[in-house]
Amino acid sequence: MAEANEKRVLRVGVVHDGHLIQERRFRKAEDIVVGKSRKCTLNLPGELVPDSYRLFAYENGEYFLRFAPGMTGT
């Protein structure tokens, strides 16, 4: 079972005003941090974007999507 999880890929897309502006595939299982900081996994545009926010937490072999107040997504 662990082997199957290691071969999975997390695909993350950033959509702004209806347009895909960034897409990445993550083969390594790790937390995905978004924000304005250069240290973030994904850099996001906008004035209301935090410096950094852990959007996907990787714990116990699974990803967890962590919405903050006001966030939406599918």
Side-chain angles (χ1 to χ4, degrees), residues 31 54 57-64 66:
D31 290 349
R54 186 171 64 146
Y58 188 77
E59 299 170 359
N60 301 320
E62 294 183 281
Y63 280 105
F64 295 92
R66 302 178 61 241

Side-chain angles (χ1 to χ4, degrees), residues 3-5 15 20-21 28-29 38 40 48 59 61 64 66-67 72:
E3 275 186 43
N5 285 341
V15 178
L20 181 66
I21 60 170
K28 181 180 174 190
R38 292 180 186 246
C40 292
L48 302 177
E59 299 170 359
F64 295 92
R66 302 178 61 241
F67 281 119
T72 61

Side-chain angles (χ1 to χ4, degrees), residues 30-60:
E30 61 185 340
D31 290 349
I32 306 300
V33 180
V34 299
K36 291 188 277 188
S37 172
R38 292 180 186 246
K39 294 180 182 179
C40 292
T41 314
L42 288 170
N43 295 103
L44 301 177
E47 297 173 9
L48 302 177
V49 175
D51 287 337
S52 66
Y53 181 76
R54 186 171 64 146
L55 184 60
F56 289 97
Y58 188 77
E59 299 170 359
N60 301 320

Side-chain angles (χ1 to χ4, degrees), residues 13-25:
V14 178
V15 178
H16 183 68
D17 290 333
H19 299 282
L20 181 66
I21 60 170
Q22 191 174 168
E23 180 182 11
R24 300 254 320 261
R25 291 182 180 100

